[in-house]
Amino acid sequence: MERINQWAFVAEMCIHGNPSGVDNTVATQGKAVVFQRHDNSNPPSVRPLWTFPELPLLLVDTRQAKSTAYEVAKVAKLKETHPKLVGSILDAMDKVTGTAAQLIDDATFDETEEENLKRVGELMAINHGLLVSLGVSHPRLERIRELTDHEGIGWTKLTGAGGGGCSITLMRPKVAEAKLAKLHEQLRDENYLQFETTLGGDGVGMLWPAVLKKGTKEDEEGGMEIDLDKFLNAEGTEGVERLVGVHDDGGEREGWKFWRAEST
């Protein structure tokens, strides 16, 4: 699994220049991690949060082009100009992250309780404010906050390097359907792309055994094996999902097994 993570990081470097390593690590391991890179000369510290709950998110793409390398360089320049001030902002962000990790990692944390979600949401709002002070937000990101946070629908922060790109909104429970419908309509009208999803899903997985049962004669001999040629010849994401998905017309397939760092 670590090899997958490292190659994914190489791809991140090709695209972003000097990435943090967060995206590839979480995508590989799943759930969430507490990720901290002290300097570029040493490996980052990564602490998985295996009990991280799945939280309801609204992911919104601003459709505003941005450059991670540019945003990172901009913050580096700001820190060079105002080292103590920017250093204090980064320290505050570290404390916000640590507080959130401690809150969610607590055995008593219950994501179904509104008060717990509110505490996480408040930390997200603080984090976003600190990022704004570093100059990495964008008017289209702030517009999303206007439509969600100010209307009592959720708590929004920019994600990635900012400057455009996407935002995530932790949704409040029991929001009126009419209010949600109005939000979705406004986002569509203003050319935002929106996805309802969850935070804290699984990471790298494999279908085991890699055999399909399609209700054909092959089933009598154990089913059709997914070999390399079948996988590579599948057309696009939909083709891969049809080939290796958990569900099919024939009913429930063998489930996915997800790799875990502590068991590999």
Side-chain angles (χ1 to χ4, degrees), residues 33-67:
V33 299
V34 178
F35 182 101
Q36 189 171 28
R37 187 168 68 178
H38 300 281
D39 57 68
N40 291 328
S41 61
N42 293 301
S45 62
V46 180
R47 181 169 66 87
L49 300 177
W50 294 119
T51 59
F52 193 92
E54 290 201 24
L55 301 175
L57 281 189
L58 178 65
L59 172 66
V60 180
D61 184 351
T62 64
R63 300 192 183 189
Q64 172 63 44
K66 53 95 177 181
S67 166

Side-chain angles (χ1 to χ4, degrees), residues 52-99:
F52 193 92
E54 290 201 24
L55 301 175
L57 281 189
L58 178 65
L59 172 66
V60 180
D61 184 351
T62 64
R63 300 192 183 189
Q64 172 63 44
K66 53 95 177 181
S67 166
T68 296
Y70 173 79
E71 297 299 329
V72 170
K74 185 168 65 175
V75 174
K77 178 63 177 177
L78 189 66
K79 185 179 180 182
E80 181 182 329
T81 306
H82 307 284
K84 290 185 178 179
L85 180 59
V86 174
S88 66
I89 295 173
L90 296 176
D91 288 342
M93 292 173 67
D94 179 66
K95 288 182 172 59
V96 170
T97 303
T99 301

